Amino acid sequence: MAEITYVEAIRSAMEDEMRRDDRVLVMGEDVGAKGGVFGATAGLFAAFGEERVIDSPLAEAAIVGVAIGCALAGLRPIAEIQFLDFIPPAMDQIISEAAKIRYRSNGDWSCPMVIRAPCGGGVHVHGALYHSQSLEAMFAHVPGLKVVVPSTPTDAKGLLLAAIRDPDPVCFFEHKALYRSLREEVPDDEYLVPIGQGRVVREGRDISCITYGATVHEAVAAADRLAKDGVQVEVVDLRTVRPLDRSIIISTARKTGKVLVAHEANLAIGVGAEVAAIVAEECFQQLDAPVMRIGGPEIPAIPFAESLAEVYCLGPDKIEAKLRELAAY
Amino acid sequence: MAEITYVEAIRSAMEDEMRRDDRVLVMGEDVGAKGGVFGATAGLFAAFGEERVIDSPLAEAAIVGVAIGCALAGLRPIAEIQFLDFIPPAMDQIISEAAKIRYRSNGDWSCPMVIRAPCGGGVHVHGALYHSQSLEAMFAHVPGLKVVVPSTPTDAKGLLLAAIRDPDPVCFFEHKALYRSLREEVPDDEYLVPIGQGRVVREGRDISCITYGATVHEAVAAADRLAKDGVQVEVVDLRTVRPLDRSIIISTARKTGKVLVAHEANLAIGVGAEVAAIVAEECFQQLDAPVMRIGGPEIPAIPFAESLAEVYCLGPDKIEAKLRELAAY
Amino acid sequence: MVVSESAPAEMAGLSQDQLRSMYRDMVLGRLLDERILVLNRQGRAPFAISGQGHEAAQVGVGYALRRGHDWLVPYYRDLTLVLVMGMEPKDHLLAALGKAADPNSGARQMPGHYGSRAHNIVTTGSPVATQILHAVGVAQSFRYRKEDTVVVVSVGEGGSSEGDWHEGLNWAAIYHLPVVFLVENNAYAISVPQSRQMAVAHVADRAAGYGMAGAVVDGGDVLAVYRAASEAVERARSGQGPTLLEALCVRLQSHSSDDDQRRYRTAEDLADTRAHDPVVRFRTELEAAGVLLDGDADEIRQECQRLIEAAQEEADQAPVPDAASALMHVYAEA
Amino acid sequence: MVVSESAPAEMAGLSQDQLRSMYRDMVLGRLLDERILVLNRQGRAPFAISGQGHEAAQVGVGYALRRGHDWLVPYYRDLTLVLVMGMEPKDHLLAALGKAADPNSGARQMPGHYGSRAHNIVTTGSPVATQILHAVGVAQSFRYRKEDTVVVVSVGEGGSSEGDWHEGLNWAAIYHLPVVFLVENNAYAISVPQSRQMAVAHVADRAAGYGMAGAVVDGGDVLAVYRAASEAVERARSGQGPTLLEALCVRLQSHSSDDDQRRYRTAEDLADTRAHDPVVRFRTELEAAGVLLDGDADEIRQECQRLIEAAQEEADQAPVPDAASALMHVYAEA
Ligand SMILES: Cc1ncc(C[n+]2csc(CCOP(=O)(O)OP(=O)(O)O)c2C)c(N)n1
Ligand SMILES: Cc1ncc(C[n+]2csc(CCOP(=O)(O)OP(=O)(O)O)c2C)c(N)n1
Ligand SMILES: [Mg+2]
Ligand SMILES: [Mg+2]
């Protein structure tokens, strides 16, 4: 077991898979000699050459569209979008093309590919409005896609391996605040984390906090504080936001009867709305309090100045306050 | 009062406003001599000339991006996207640019414009996967935008006038199945329907059916059937899906205690999830049954063959069945 | 920019059999296209989109390919081209009638959305120009695997205004990929004339700016297209990179069955268009050259009609899709 | 493609005052840029993006405009250009330090995201090349209102690969709009060299394919840029349509404060780049021509330093944004 960071987990998943399967290619802006702006592809160019690690032109639709073509021709491309904020130019290729290729051809064609992008922000990530967004809801709305948002190095590696081997297009969104801040021992041997399965990060009987991505760590911190007062919060990491793990959502909600859904993305019509709606529909009899949500406020993204960024970001304090509200209900 | 169709309501709103305000321009594919593929701009080219009714090149990002530039320079552009299915190439201009211009400039700049697009499908609309989608959730998720989905000629006209005069970007999605099938008397005098206000289409005390767009008419038909059995369904037309009219949602839910949310768009992480989550959080004490939802199934869009299209589409029967389920709860 | 000219006398080095076969494929495409329009007018096919006027361009390109080996990423006007690649009339009648056995999409898509893995025809959706990038990716894969396969991708002149078009041509030029970009320029994008689509005379005027070869060819002249396409395909196959090949076509029918071109095209324009029917032209040329003898053309026509008749009979009998199947193939079936 | 050459002797018909003023603006831009990098290294400015090496191109273009009348849609390297348009050093120190009074965005955006309605500088976000279309729309508005205003929009050579770039140039050419597309080509897009961005020698090689005028100019030569830009602006103003003007620049610093260009550029490349410092070059030329006399350059430098010093003092004192203001300006305030 080696202790590695989150970004190293991503990097090593790609490297391992490229060694194992020569159909795997990486393409994106600055993924070559520079190794990506966050170093996620560091060393791959040297190891695999420019035919497999392709410095693309500055054109996101092309990165995804060309990767789709590679997938159609039997390869297993990994397309890197430099920041999730810059994925909208590729939206048409993702939702109109990749997501619909299998369905529209009645199963004659398929599109196995991964679209990786760093997402998220936070008070100490200085990216501001356009280097901080969490746009997963837009993709999670779309049948035909899978959407993974890992929260730990172990999950990041196991899920990325699963994503590369998946027969369908997978959006893989990596929280940039985790890249270097998290370190963890991950298995040396190959392992896969199945797409579509959530995980109970911390057991508890009083309240469920259902979340994913970097917010998992904030939720755990908040839960630890409530534990000091005897309130046991169960923290569930969804890990995948499409398909959602309905059974883990329903079972934790039925168990505790009180649910807080938390995510960094804008709240309105976000993943949390779907989770809340599922809980409201499936756990009506077991609920002891209204399903509550906490997430990004009604502003476009995280502003630059710290004083403004704090208004957007969650953090343990805000989650704690909501959990206490639920506890008191 | 003249009796006009839904598409004529759209057309006349644009014409009236172009006469009133010479800052109003229309641009899009085939909006000129052809008058748009659905005739929404019929006659405008002849009346206002090619400087104000611009046949754009086949480029959706350009249609929206150029319209943004016009708005920045003080005009009031209306951008037509030929089918909502073809809006994704313009997604970057809409969500990264139009939606964020006011916020990112701290109010120094603004972007008053309307983006019109026909949406939706149905068994008798032969558009199939790419001429039938309801993508409003993607835009309704985004702070900075307003999203309007009118269900009647009267609303279509009044809301479009309000949209053109709105100081911020408004997405205006018109259900193509309504264009010629609906006829209604609309006021001759100028009137505005305010953006952000829902409407109780049909009063009822037993169940609320919260919906919008073409589904409103299916919900009313279903409600009529239940009325024969003494079950009074209140049908609420949201009219605007961003900003949502929270007060009408909460008040109808508190009144009836039973809520069905219905829409044609894909269900998962759709507008209905947000409505359900609001009801679940705000009306916990008043609910007599789980909030239920009905909407597009987990397939990408409406298939071509009728036998397949029926699987996707709602229609009064499916809504009726759900309402009866709620009634029996 | 070289506008290739035909030299009908030499007939592009093709044998009489090949020439007759080309003519036959043009006729088959035309008749099938007409049949589909009839089905639409009869209310049996909800939607039809016609390729009439593009047959010479499509046959010229199709015959330049190694069929069964090379790939095609078509667009909705390519009925004749997908027939040349090996699809059958029945396939498209099944699609027109929305039958389960439609090999393009199982009646999930509108007719005209071609795709068949068996024939190396990539699945296509409706968004204009997205396919350009898929072809580039396909070509990148050929290059990566060191295969000598070529991919042709087609699009209208209107499609050249889309961002994807630019991004695709640029990428292909940078990597010298084995792809031929075929622009079937029929001077209209629905109602929008070329003058509102671009400020240049030819789409292929853009080739130089990408650093790739470009050619404009009379798309009504099947042999000229064949020659220009053969050059482009050879260039691609031999590792010399992509070509932007523009074929000047006419659109004989309205954009689609939902359109009426008389509302935005003048009577003269339409008459001129009709005067450029490529099927009539090739027949005249072949007759003049003695390749088609008296009665040959009629016989070919009858053979094609019989084929279409038989195909329609089958398609008529074929079942519509089972409702339950609507939920399949969103993801790989477990 | 014409590569314009400078004729330093005649100094583009500019007066000595104008020449000194141009030099002064280049120096001011350079020193302010350096100061912002220092603040970043001190940990006071979380992010900095440098325009060093682009000063001559920006001053040359800026002086070709009717300031206060014409419009600019800039990109993040245009510090010197927005100063020429009338913004103040303080404005950018406020932005660098994330202060409420930052006129570009009220510290909502990263520094380098310029915008000021007071100076006809359109607000810009981070996505590369989207601004091209905004400029086209602005130009369309000028044309619609029959104004004689011109808009310049700038972008890097990497940005020319984006679909929006293509769609914008095409649209502007069709409508002969009064816009100048300025490509500041510094040969890199972060780490990606021009050879992986396009297969042509010059971005402006694409002008012909759009049906517009194109020119390549040495972006290290402020007077050559001034002449070429003046021509382009004149063309636009007189209704003769857009120009694609490519200025060949050097990027003296890394892409941004998050980048280290030594990791992907050779030592020779970097040395060569440093040898092409446009500020040094113009000083040398002005001294040789007797426009700058002994001590003049130092005096200009000191004046600029004093300005920056005073500006920083103000910016240091300025308050950070009030948290509550974060929720404002999503929509028009009621
Ligand atoms: C992205 C997108 N925008 C709009 C449409 C609607 N549409 C379908 S075909 C067409 C015109 C295409 O013209 P052209 O590229 O010249 O091809 P042609 O039909 O003339 O062969 C349009 C606007 C579409 N399918 N996709
Ligand atoms: C749509 C989009 N994709 C990616 C980025 C990240 N990015 C910022 S600048 C840049 C390189 C731009 O290079 P170029 O256009 O040559 O301008 P330069 O920085 O060299 O002046 C990249 C990839 C972005 N801001 N927007
Ligand atoms: Mg055309
Ligand atoms: Mg550059």
Side-chain angles (χ1 to χ4, degrees):
Chain A
M1 302 268 279
E3 209 192 64
I4 60 172
T5 60
Y6 184 95
V7 69
E8 172 58 21
I10 304 281
R11 208 200 64 75
S12 78
M14 287 192 279
E15 180 173 347
D16 291 0
E17 206 57 9
M18 289 179 83
R19 292 207 190 285
R20 198 187 66 84
D21 183 350
D22 67 9
R23 297 171 307 169
V24 180
L25 264 71
V26 173
M27 53 191 76
E29 294 154 13
D30 303 287
V31 299
K34 185 173 162 78
V37 294
F38 291 102
T41 58
L44 300 183
F45 187 73
F48 300 103
E50 60 173 18
E51 295 281 323
R52 289 185 76 185
V53 183
I54 302 172
D55 260 337
S56 75
L58 211 178
E60 287 74 16
I63 295 168
V64 174
V66 169
I68 289 172
C70 290
L72 290 167
L75 300 180
R76 294 273 170 161
I78 303 173
E80 175 175 309
I81 300 295
Q82 199 160 75
F83 288 84
L84 184 55
D85 311 71
F86 305 133
I87 210 169
M91 209 82 142
D92 193 38
Q93 287 289 347
I94 299 171
I95 71 174
S96 306
E97 300 293 331
K100 295 180 173 63
I101 278 173
R102 185 186 292 280
Y103 192 79
R104 79 181 183 207
S105 68
N106 203 25
D108 194 29
W109 291 91
S110 66
C111 189
M113 65 185 288
V114 179
I115 301 165
R116 291 182 40 248
C119 68
V123 176
H124 301 290
V125 176
H126 57 245
L129 303 183
Y130 292 102
H131 296 77
S132 72
Q133 291 171 82
S134 296
L135 300 173
E136 62 274 9
M138 299 207 168
F139 301 93
H141 179 53
V142 178
L145 298 178
K146 297 180 181 180
V147 184
V148 176
V149 192
S151 71
T152 67
T154 307
D155 280 359
K157 180 158 186 179
L159 281 163
L160 185 49
L161 290 173
I164 299 170
R165 297 187 195 177
D166 198 275
D168 287 300
V170 180
C171 297
F172 197 91
F173 300 153
E174 306 155 7
H175 201 292
K176 65 176 80 70
L178 303 180
Y179 271 147
R180 284 164 216 290
S181 68
L182 272 193
R183 227 169 227 295
E184 194 177 64
E185 298 212 327
V186 309
D188 291 326
D189 291 345
E190 180 185 296
Y191 67 97
L192 300 181
V193 174
I195 292 174
Q197 286 185 15
R199 181 173 74 98
V200 175
V201 178
R202 187 186 190 294
E203 302 235 12
R205 56 166 194 272
D206 300 322
I207 309 178
S208 300
C209 183
I210 304 177
T211 180
Y212 59 88
T215 310
V216 168
H217 306 284
E218 301 176 353
V220 168
D224 287 345
R225 297 188 197 165
L226 270 82
K228 296 199 183 108
D229 304 319
V231 181
Q232 298 301 331
V233 177
E234 177 148 300
V235 177
V236 171
D237 178 358
L238 292 169
R239 303 202 285 197
T240 299
V241 297
R242 168 170 276 275
L244 277 174
D245 185 345
R246 287 177 70 93
S247 73
I248 205 171
I249 292 169
I250 293 168
S251 69
T252 189
R254 288 191 177 157
K255 173 179 168 188
T256 64
K258 290 183 173 180
V259 175
L260 175 67
V261 196
H263 56 57
E264 185 175 318
N266 287 104
L267 198 64
I269 318 192
V271 171
E274 181 66 26
V275 175
I278 292 171
V279 171
E281 179 153 6
E282 301 289 343
C283 313
F284 181 69
Q285 308 273 9
Q286 294 85 1
L287 282 182
D288 301 320
V291 191
M292 291 188 182
R293 288 180 295 157
I294 184 168
E298 282 285 294
I299 64 178
I302 306 181
F304 179 66
E306 282 204 16
S307 57
L308 302 174
E310 272 163 8
V311 173
Y312 188 99
C313 297
L314 289 186
D317 291 358
K318 292 184 196 167
I319 297 174
E320 180 189 355
K322 269 282 177 193
L323 288 170
R324 290 198 186 277
E325 209 185 307
L326 264 182
Y329 193 91
Chain B
M1 303 267 281
E3 208 190 64
I4 59 172
T5 59
Y6 184 95
V7 70
E8 173 57 21
I10 305 281
R11 208 201 63 74
S12 75
M14 288 192 279
E15 181 174 347
D16 292 359
E17 206 57 9
M18 289 179 83
R19 290 206 192 286
R20 199 188 65 85
D21 183 351
D22 67 8
R23 296 171 307 169
V24 180
L25 265 71
V26 173
M27 52 190 77
E29 294 154 13
D30 303 288
V31 298
K34 184 173 163 76
V37 294
F38 290 101
T41 57
L44 300 183
F45 187 73
F48 300 104
E50 62 174 16
E51 295 281 322
R52 288 185 77 184
V53 182
I54 302 172
D55 259 337
S56 75
L58 211 178
E60 288 74 16
I63 295 169
V64 174
V66 170
I68 290 172
C70 290
L72 291 168
L75 300 181
R76 294 273 172 161
I78 303 173
E80 176 175 306
I81 300 295
Q82 200 160 75
F83 288 84
L84 185 55
D85 311 72
F86 305 133
I87 210 169
M91 209 82 143
D92 194 36
Q93 287 290 346
I94 299 172
I95 71 174
S96 306
E97 300 293 331
K100 295 180 172 64
I101 278 173
R102 185 186 291 280
Y103 192 80
R104 79 180 183 207
S105 67
N106 204 24
D108 194 29
W109 291 91
S110 66
C111 188
M113 66 185 287
V114 179
I115 302 165
R116 290 183 41 249
C119 68
V123 175
H124 301 290
V125 175
H126 57 243
L129 302 183
Y130 292 102
H131 297 76
S132 72
Q133 291 171 82
S134 295
L135 299 174
E136 62 273 7
M138 299 206 170
F139 301 94
H141 179 52
V142 178
L145 298 177
K146 298 181 181 179
V147 184
V148 176
V149 191
S151 70
T152 68
T154 308
D155 280 359
K157 180 158 186 180
L159 281 163
L160 185 48
L161 289 173
I164 299 170
R165 297 188 195 176
D166 198 276
D168 287 299
V170 180
C171 297
F172 197 92
F173 299 153
E174 306 155 7
H175 201 291
K176 65 177 79 69
L178 302 180
Y179 272 146
R180 285 165 215 291
S181 68
L182 271 194
R183 228 168 226 297
E184 195 177 63
E185 298 212 327
V186 309
D188 292 325
D189 290 344
E190 180 185 298
Y191 67 98
L192 299 182
V193 175
I195 292 174
Q197 286 184 16
R199 181 172 74 98
V200 175
V201 178
R202 188 187 189 293
E203 303 236 13
R205 55 165 195 273
D206 299 322
I207 308 178
S208 301
C209 183
I210 304 178
T211 181
Y212 59 89
T215 311
V216 168
H217 306 284
E218 302 176 352
V220 168
D224 288 346
R225 297 188 197 167
L226 270 80
K228 297 200 181 109
D229 303 319
V231 181
Q232 298 302 330
V233 177
E234 176 148 302
V235 178
V236 171
D237 178 357
L238 292 169
R239 303 201 287 195
T240 299
V241 297
R242 167 169 279 275
L244 278 175
D245 184 345
R246 287 176 70 93
S247 73
I248 205 171
I249 294 169
I250 293 168
S251 70
T252 189
R254 289 192 177 155
K255 173 178 168 189
T256 64
K258 290 183 174 183
V259 175
L260 175 66
V261 195
H263 55 59
E264 184 175 319
N266 287 105
L267 198 64
I269 317 192
V271 171
E274 181 66 26
V275 174
I278 291 170
V279 170
E281 180 155 4
E282 301 290 343
C283 314
F284 181 69
Q285 308 273 10
Q286 294 86 1
L287 283 181
D288 302 320
V291 190
M292 290 188 182
R293 289 180 294 158
I294 184 169
E298 282 287 294
I299 65 179
I302 306 181
F304 179 66
E306 283 204 15
S307 57
L308 302 174
E310 272 163 10
V311 173
Y312 187 100
C313 296
L314 290 186
D317 291 358
K318 290 184 197 167
I319 296 174
E320 180 189 354
K322 269 283 178 192
L323 288 170
R324 291 200 186 276
E325 208 185 306
L326 263 182
Y329 193 92
Chain C
M1 204 50 41
V2 183
V3 179
S4 313
E5 271 177 38
S6 182
E10 49 152 301
M11 295 284 174
L14 291 159
S15 73
Q16 298 225 349
D17 276 359
Q18 283 170 313
L19 292 166
R20 268 193 296 267
S21 164
M22 288 170 102
Y23 177 68
R24 180 261 185 199
D25 284 355
M26 285 172 66
V27 171
L28 183 64
R30 171 63 59 87
L31 293 178
L32 180 58
D33 193 292
E34 286 174 352
R35 172 61 55 98
I36 291 169
L37 288 183
V38 167
L39 288 172
N40 172 260
R41 260 178 258 117
Q42 291 172 341
R44 299 193 56 209
F47 177 81
I49 190 152
S50 166
Q52 290 180 35
H54 291 230
E55 293 91 345
Q58 293 175 20
V59 167
V61 169
Y63 274 72
L65 292 173
R66 272 198 221 153
R67 285 167 273 168
H69 180 75
D70 291 334
W71 284 44
L72 172 68
V73 187
Y75 89 124
Y76 48 80
R77 293 217 191 280
D78 285 338
L79 178 63
T80 301
L81 185 45
V82 299
L83 292 175
V84 173
M85 294 293 282
M87 292 190 85
E88 304 276 339
K90 187 183 66 173
D91 297 339
H92 306 296
L93 291 166
L94 288 163
L97 298 172
K99 298 304 181 75
D102 157 27
N104 301 286
S105 82
R108 287 159 175 227
Q109 294 208 76
M110 294 164 91
H113 288 62
Y114 305 113
S116 167
R117 180 179 277 281
H119 300 95
N120 296 341
I121 300 172
V122 166
T123 172
T124 48
S126 304
V128 162
T130 48
Q131 75 272 22
I132 298 281
L133 287 164
H134 305 168
V136 175
V138 164
Q140 184 97 34
S141 307
F142 295 157
R143 183 186 137 113
Y144 172 62
R145 290 190 302 238
K146 302 197 181 6
E147 293 167 359
D148 71 344
T149 321
V150 171
V151 56
V152 168
V153 58
S154 57
V155 69
E157 87 290 349
S160 75
S161 299
E162 288 280 5
D164 281 13
W165 190 88
H166 170 68
E167 297 187 12
L169 269 80
N170 188 39
W171 185 307
I174 294 169
Y175 288 96
H176 304 287
L177 298 181
V179 53
V180 178
F181 298 100
L182 170 65
V183 175
E184 300 181 28
N185 183 350
N186 58 16
Y188 285 90
I190 308 186
S191 72
V192 180
Q194 182 178 334
S195 61
R196 279 281 169 265
Q197 202 68 243
M198 66 195 79
V200 288
H202 295 294
V203 177
D205 289 347
R206 295 199 172 143
Y210 293 109
M212 70 170 72
V216 182
V217 63
D218 177 351
D221 181 344
V222 59
L223 299 181
V225 175
Y226 172 75
R227 267 194 306 272
S230 298
E231 260 179 47
V233 167
E234 184 40 41
R235 182 175 298 121
R237 205 180 309 282
S238 61
Q240 294 170 81
T243 302
L244 174 53
L245 176 61
E246 178 175 8
L248 304 176
C249 301
V250 290
R251 194 184 79 191
L252 292 172
Q253 299 291 336
S254 292
H255 171 73
S256 76
S257 53
D258 292 333
D259 180 41
D260 179 358
Q261 62 180 342
R262 290 168 306 183
R263 290 185 43 205
Y264 53 81
R265 292 180 73 172
T266 63
E268 297 75 47
D269 177 15
L270 287 170
D272 184 64
T273 294
R274 276 191 302 274
H276 284 84
D277 186 322
V279 182
V280 172
R281 171 171 171 183
F282 195 37
R283 175 180 169 162
T284 311
E285 283 171 9
L286 291 180
E287 287 177 342
V291 178
L292 287 183
L293 304 177
D294 248 24
D296 278 2
D298 288 346
E299 202 174 284
I300 286 171
R301 190 184 171 84
Q302 280 153 21
E303 179 238 317
C304 292
Q305 281 293 21
R306 277 193 303 274
L307 240 158
I308 291 168
E309 227 49 75
Q312 189 178 330
E313 219 153 291
E314 270 195 80
D316 279 340
Q317 307 302 321
V320 299
D322 191 38
S325 74
L327 301 176
M328 288 175 62
H329 300 308
V330 180
Y331 300 100
E333 304 295 313
Chain D
M1 203 49 41
V2 184
V3 179
S4 316
E5 270 177 39
S6 184
E10 49 152 303
M11 295 282 175
L14 291 158
S15 73
Q16 298 226 348
D17 275 0
Q18 284 171 312
L19 292 166
R20 268 193 297 267
S21 164
M22 288 170 102
Y23 177 68
R24 181 261 185 198
D25 284 356
M26 286 172 66
V27 171
L28 183 64
R30 171 64 58 87
L31 293 179
L32 179 58
D33 194 292
E34 286 175 350
R35 172 61 56 97
I36 292 169
L37 288 183
V38 167
L39 289 172
N40 172 260
R41 260 178 257 116
Q42 289 172 342
R44 298 194 55 210
F47 177 81
I49 191 154
S50 165
Q52 292 180 35
H54 290 230
E55 292 91 347
Q58 293 175 20
V59 167
V61 169
Y63 273 71
L65 292 173
R66 271 198 224 153
R67 284 167 272 167
H69 179 76
D70 292 335
W71 283 44
L72 173 68
V73 187
Y75 89 124
Y76 48 80
R77 294 217 190 279
D78 285 338
L79 178 63
T80 301
L81 184 47
V82 298
L83 292 175
V84 172
M85 293 294 282
M87 292 190 83
E88 304 276 339
K90 185 182 68 173
D91 297 338
H92 307 296
L93 291 167
L94 288 164
L97 298 172
K99 298 302 181 75
D102 157 26
N104 300 287
S105 82
R108 286 157 176 228
Q109 294 208 76
M110 295 163 92
H113 288 62
Y114 305 113
S116 166
R117 180 178 276 280
H119 299 94
N120 296 341
I121 300 172
V122 167
T123 172
T124 48
S126 304
V128 162
T130 48
Q131 75 272 21
I132 298 281
L133 287 164
H134 305 168
V136 175
V138 164
Q140 184 97 34
S141 307
F142 295 157
R143 184 187 137 112
Y144 172 63
R145 291 191 301 238
K146 305 199 180 359
E147 294 167 357
D148 71 343
T149 321
V150 171
V151 56
V152 169
V153 57
S154 57
V155 68
E157 87 291 347
S160 75
S161 299
E162 288 280 6
D164 281 13
W165 191 88
H166 171 67
E167 297 188 10
L169 269 81
N170 189 39
W171 186 307
I174 294 170
Y175 288 95
H176 305 286
L177 298 181
V179 52
V180 178
F181 299 100
L182 171 64
V183 175
E184 301 181 28
N185 182 350
N186 58 17
Y188 285 90
I190 308 187
S191 73
V192 179
Q194 182 179 335
S195 61
R196 279 281 169 264
Q197 203 68 245
M198 66 195 80
V200 287
H202 295 293
V203 177
D205 289 347
R206 295 199 170 142
Y210 291 109
M212 72 170 71
V216 182
V217 62
D218 177 352
D221 181 344
V222 60
L223 299 182
V225 175
Y226 172 74
R227 267 193 307 270
S230 298
E231 260 178 47
V233 167
E234 183 42 39
R235 183 176 297 121
R237 205 180 309 282
S238 60
Q240 294 170 82
T243 303
L244 174 53
L245 175 61
E246 177 176 8
L248 305 175
C249 301
V250 289
R251 194 184 79 192
L252 292 173
Q253 299 290 337
S254 290
H255 171 73
S256 76
S257 54
D258 293 334
D259 179 41
D260 178 358
Q261 63 180 341
R262 289 168 306 183
R263 290 185 42 207
Y264 52 80
R265 292 180 73 170
T266 63
E268 297 76 45
D269 177 16
L270 287 170
D272 183 63
T273 294
R274 276 190 302 273
H276 284 82
D277 185 323
V279 183
V280 173
R281 172 171 169 184
F282 195 37
R283 174 180 171 161
T284 311
E285 283 171 8
L286 290 180
E287 287 177 342
V291 177
L292 286 182
L293 305 177
D294 246 24
D296 278 3
D298 287 348
E299 203 174 284
I300 287 172
R301 188 184 173 84
Q302 279 155 22
E303 179 237 318
C304 293
Q305 280 295 20
R306 276 193 304 273
L307 240 158
I308 292 168
E309 225 51 73
Q312 187 176 331
E313 219 153 291
E314 270 195 79
D316 279 341
Q317 307 302 322
V320 298
D322 190 38
S325 74
L327 301 177
M328 290 176 59
H329 301 308
V330 179
Y331 300 100
E333 303 296 314

